[in-house]
Amino acid sequence: MGKVLIIGAGGVGNVVAKKCAMLPDVFEEICLASRTKEKCDKIASDIKNQYGIDIKTAEVDADKTEEVVALIKDFNPDIVVNVALPYQDLTIMDACLETGVHYLDTANYEPKDNPKFEYKWQWAYHDRYKDAGIMAVLGCGFDPGVTNVFCAYAAKHLYDTIKTIDILDCNAGDHGHPFATNFNPEINIREVTQVVRHWKNGKWVETPPIIEEGSVHFTFNYPEVGPRESYLLYHEEMESLVKHIKGLERIRFWMTFSDQYLTHLKVLKNVGMTRIDEVDYEGCKVVPLKFLKKLLPDPAELGTNYKGKTVIGCIFDGEKDGKRFKKYIYNVCDHAEAYKEVQAQAVSYTTGVPAMIGAMLVIKGVWSGKGVFNVEQLDPDPFMDALNKYGLPWKIEDFEGELPEF
Ligand SMILES: NC(=O)c1ccc[n+]([C@@H]2O[C@H](COP(=O)([O-])OP(=O)(O)OC[C@H]3O[C@@H](n4cnc5c(N)ncnc54)[C@H](O)[C@@H]3O)[C@@H](O)[C@H]2O)c1
Ligand SMILES: N[C@@H](CCCCN[C@@H](CCC(=O)O)C(=O)O)C(=O)O
């Protein structure tokens, strides 16, 4: 039915490629491209052994629009799925624009020298994508991605007005390493060391970073995994949800962190290892965070002995027919089961499956449009059905528990 070009052969790219290969009626041809072709070839060989499907592989430096354009012209895909790094979002979007091909990603653009991820750069492409008659789907992983779909579903089916949203992201897994990140260490550490923001009554409110005095946290009792300390964190989906969920009074994002993780992060920051500027080391220019990434475990290799589960979802408070109530929509994903299926831990799995589903809906024409879209602007129903079918089942429950009120 369609051809997909996947760019990025890391933890998430492995999952997207394998999940697409499981649906040969939808994804007739697959090309997996990355900066290092050997990584693509390894995944392609797994796919051949597991599903008997041949996929193409290619080397591309996605920082260079001309290389992506050449690859698109050669393979002629219907959609490009970008699961490289956020730094490549704009160069890949430019290439899609030049060649008239749909685009999908899982993380919004951030400049290398400024760890501030914002949608403004990608939203600026809207008119050009519209004029070209193509579609860009932004942030189609789990969070952003599925969490936005949960919000669109709640707005469509559960509430007349949603007053507050709390997104809760728990990784209660154990990978056995003293310190590791579950997706690209450089991107992850830039994200979790920033000043925290949540949105209340039309304004962004700032609070200290998770490793600093005064950070905001509370214990939440997660389904299936129990109580976990959850920290207020800035996450990109809040920026688009504030714009698209009408009548919203407050939105917050919480992520779980263990004391061990926080202690390591605090020390790394205090000794300068999370710096993103160049340091001169014996005549050699070194970016400490990039060097740290080299030393930390590769997130794509973490899955082997991973135990435990992730629990990610949204708690809504709002009104329907004059009645006020709270609902919790969430997914639970088991690291070991994800590994058994696609040799990936659950953070890669929960990101890669939604990217595959988004690409499938675009290829089938179920999601269509001209311009740049965040996931909550598209129909949540076919996506919610597909989550149940392709490995990320969800539940909706009444929520009677307590959340901090501020
Ligand atoms: N929305 C979500 O829920 C969510 C969650 C986790 C990760 N993510 C995003 O998923 C993406 C992939 O994460 P990951 O854990 O697989 O990271 P990773 O580091 O394991 O993989 C990234 C891949 O991109 C390749 N790459 C980097 N620069 C490139 C370039 N210039 N040209 C071509 N290829 C290049 C790398 O070689 C690597 O194979 C990241 O953008 C991350 O922010 C989103
Ligand atoms: N879905 C998340 C994935 C990151 C999970 C981060 N939590 C830390 C906690 C680690 C620990 O406490 O040991 C993690 O790396 O899993 C996202 O979108 O960012």
Side-chain angles (χ1 to χ4, degrees), residues 28-324:
E28 285 167 341
E29 278 186 60
I30 301 166
C31 177
L32 177 62
S34 204
R35 217 170 21 192
T36 316
K37 187 167 174 294
E38 291 74 56
K39 281 189 180 176
C40 306
D41 291 338
K42 160 82 181 65
I43 295 168
S45 143
D46 285 357
I47 288 175
K48 178 75 180 165
N49 293 337
Q50 283 170 248
Y51 317 114
I53 302 263
D54 285 307
I55 71 163
K56 294 194 165 68
T57 59
E59 182 178 315
V60 70
D61 180 354
D63 283 324
K64 297 185 176 132
T65 298
E66 66 279 12
E67 285 197 21
V68 184
V69 167
L71 179 60
I72 292 177
K73 284 186 174 161
D74 183 47
F75 179 63
N76 196 23
D78 297 283
I79 187 165
V80 174
V81 173
N82 167 18
V83 280
L85 299 182
Y87 310 136
Q88 282 87 48
D89 287 4
L90 304 188
T91 44
I92 299 178
M93 284 184 84
D94 283 332
C96 287
L97 199 51
E98 198 176 321
T99 50
V101 171
H102 301 307
Y103 169 90
L104 180 144
D105 68 26
T106 66
N108 68 4
Y109 176 71
E110 62 180 272
K112 283 185 182 160
D113 57 355
N114 182 5
K116 271 215 165 19
F117 43 90
E118 278 181 65
Y119 278 118
K120 68 174 180 201
W121 292 285
Q122 292 181 275
W123 283 341
Y125 282 73
H126 181 73
D127 288 346
R128 282 174 286 155
Y129 265 62
K130 194 170 158 197
D131 293 344
I134 53 172
M135 179 178 204
V137 180
L138 306 183
C140 197
F142 205 104
D143 46 336
V146 176
T147 48
N148 305 56
V149 172
F150 287 167
C151 292
Y153 181 88
K156 183 173 175 181
H157 297 290
L158 306 180
Y159 292 99
D160 296 327
T161 317
I162 298 173
K163 292 189 182 300
T164 71
I165 301 173
D166 284 271
I167 303 170
L168 292 117
D169 179 347
C170 170
N171 178 9
D174 179 7
H175 44 56
H177 296 266
F179 181 78
T181 64
N182 289 281
F183 69 91
N184 186 281
E186 184 185 338
I187 305 300
N188 196 180
I189 289 174
R190 284 162 69 111
E191 175 182 310
V192 299
T193 48
Q194 67 191 312
V195 169
V196 172
R197 286 186 291 155
H198 71 280
W199 192 85
K200 189 175 179 187
N201 297 331
K203 286 200 301 269
W204 291 105
V205 182
E206 286 192 359
T207 47
I210 56 166
I211 46 172
E212 283 181 20
E213 200 62 34
S215 66
V216 180
H217 52 104
F218 79 111
T219 310
F220 184 75
N221 193 14
Y222 289 89
E224 298 194 28
V225 303
R228 288 287 188 287
E229 207 56 17
S230 305
Y231 289 75
L232 200 61
L233 189 74
Y234 179 69
H235 226 237
E236 66 201 59
E237 62 264 50
M238 290 193 285
E239 188 186 4
S240 69
L241 288 167
V242 159
K243 195 170 150 192
H244 298 132
I245 304 289
K246 301 296 171 209
L248 197 58
E249 290 169 9
R250 186 187 70 199
I251 182 164
R252 302 179 296 193
F253 183 97
W254 307 89
M255 190 179 276
T256 60
F257 293 98
S258 59
D259 285 346
Q260 172 148 320
Y261 180 97
L262 293 174
T263 304
H264 276 80
L265 189 61
K266 210 181 283 183
V267 172
L268 289 168
K269 174 147 195 298
N270 287 345
V271 299
M273 283 304 292
T274 62
R275 281 172 58 174
I276 62 169
D277 56 323
E278 277 184 352
V279 174
D280 186 280
Y281 176 71
E282 296 183 352
C284 214
K285 300 277 182 221
V286 178
V287 176
L289 182 56
K290 284 186 185 293
F291 181 67
L292 176 63
K293 174 184 180 284
K294 279 271 169 228
L295 304 178
L296 290 175
D298 178 354
E301 305 294 326
L302 282 178
T304 333
N305 296 310
Y306 221 132
K307 293 178 186 65
K309 295 172 181 177
T310 61
V311 187
I312 317 175
C314 304
I315 294 173
F316 302 95
D317 184 359
E319 280 181 3
K320 175 101 176 163
D321 301 329
K323 262 180 65 188
R324 183 107 185 219

Side-chain angles (χ1 to χ4, degrees), residues 82 92 227 318 329 358 376 398:
N82 167 18
I92 299 178
I329 313 183
E376 68 274 17
D398 294 333

